[in-house]
Amino acid sequence: MAYTIVDLLDKFISLEQAGQDMFMGITGRKDVQHKIKTMARIFANQEKKHIEIYQTLKAKLEKEPETEIDFFIYDKISAAIFQYAGISRVVGTESPKSLLEFCLNFEKDNLALLLSIQDIFSKAETDTNAVNIKLISEIISEEQKHVRNLEAFM
C-alpha cells in the first residue's frame, strides 16, 4: 500500500487533536484561574479550526486521483512527526502571559515541523512533490497566520 498526502493529513489532524485535548485539559483543572481557562478554550478552538481546515483539505484530496509519496520521503516525514510528538511540554498555567508564551512556542514548533516537511519534499526529485509542496505551503501559510496573531497579541 502506497502512502499519500492524505496519510500525512491524518497525522497532522492527530497532532492538532492532541493540542486541542491539551488545551481543553486545562479548562477542567480546579487549580487554574478562570481567565487562563478562558484563554485555553480559545487556544483549543484554534486547534479545532486547524483540524477543520485539514479535514476540508483531506476531503478535497480524496476526490482527486491519489498522488503517492515515495516511501523513503514518507519515512523521513514520519520520523520528524514522531520526534515532534515526543517533545515533552510543560504548559504554563501560572499566569495568562505564561500560557500565551507556551502557546506561541507550541505554534512555532508546529510551524518548524511543517517547514522541515516542506524541506524534505523540496529536496526529493520526484514529479509528484509539486502537489505535495503546494499543499504543505497552504498549511504553512495558515500556521504562520496563527503565529503572527499570537505575536501581535503579546
Side-chain angles (χ1 to χ4, degrees), residues 44-98:
N45 285 337
Q46 286 295 312
E47 298 305 304
K48 182 179 178 184
K49 179 182 168 196
H50 288 160
I51 291 168
E52 291 167 355
I53 290 168
Y54 295 166
Q55 288 173 332
T56 300
L57 287 170
K58 182 179 167 184
K60 178 181 158 188
L61 289 169
E62 286 175 337
K63 294 177 184 175
E64 297 178 12
E66 291 188 13
T67 304
E68 292 182 9
I69 298 174
D70 179 81
F71 176 78
F72 294 107
I73 294 171
Y74 187 83
D75 189 48
K76 285 181 183 180
I77 291 170
S78 291
I81 291 171
F82 181 76
Q83 183 179 7
Y84 169 82
I87 295 172
S88 178
R89 293 179 171 86
V90 178
V91 182
T93 57
E94 303 79 37
S95 68
K97 183 179 180 184
S98 66

Side-chain angles (χ1 to χ4, degrees), residues 117-133:
I117 290 169
Q118 183 183 45
D119 188 53
I120 291 168
F121 275 128
S122 66
K123 287 181 179 174
E125 296 180 15
T126 65
D127 295 337
T128 59
N129 281 343
V131 173
N132 298 331
I133 290 170

